Amino acid sequence: MHIAFVAPRWRNAPADADTTPDSNLGLSLYEYVDAMIDKARKLKVPVFDLYRNAGINKFNYATFLVDGTHSDEGDVRTAEKNAAFLGSAV
């Protein structure tokens, strides 16, 4: 059995919600992603930064995400990126 981490992909948040998913702590999603990547590297576990590498961002999310968070065409894009990573990581 192999273990790998896949960080969550980018999602559109309301303009005042740049501190999601935990606005109580004032942390943004990319800060959680960075912490996840840091921990994976310390544990020597392969990690894929889907947040920065899925190819979904503020300029094109409407094409891939139905409501800014949930996939539409983004499922195919995400699956292809994940498959490529997992194929090389294990």
Side-chain angles (χ1 to χ4, degrees), residues 2 7 12 18 21 30 48 50-51 63 66 69 71 73-74 76 79 88:
H2 298 279
N12 189 41
D18 192 33
Y30 72 84
F48 181 55
L50 197 57
Y51 184 87
T63 302
V66 176
T69 300
S71 291
E73 296 298 319
V76 173
S88 68

Side-chain angles (χ1 to χ4, degrees), residues 9-82:
R9 73 169 170 231
W10 183 93
R11 66 175 185 227
N12 189 41
D16 62 345
D18 192 33
T19 55
T20 58
D22 194 332
S23 57
N24 291 328
L25 294 177
L27 298 172
S28 65
L29 182 57
Y30 72 84
E31 289 174 296
Y32 280 92
V33 168
D34 289 346
M36 193 175 179
I37 291 168
D38 183 55
K39 181 58 99 175
R41 288 182 177 154
K42 286 179 181 173
L43 295 172
K44 299 187 182 348
V45 173
V47 60
F48 181 55
D49 183 356
L50 197 57
Y51 184 87
R52 293 178 182 90
N53 295 301
I56 300 173
N57 56 52
K58 67 181 178 179
F59 303 109
N60 66 9
Y61 74 89
T63 302
F64 301 107
L65 305 176
V66 176
D67 58 3
T69 300
H70 300 95
S71 291
D72 186 11
E73 296 298 319
D75 282 343
V76 173
R77 185 178 206 92
T78 301
E80 290 169 348
K81 299 284 185 172
N82 280 332

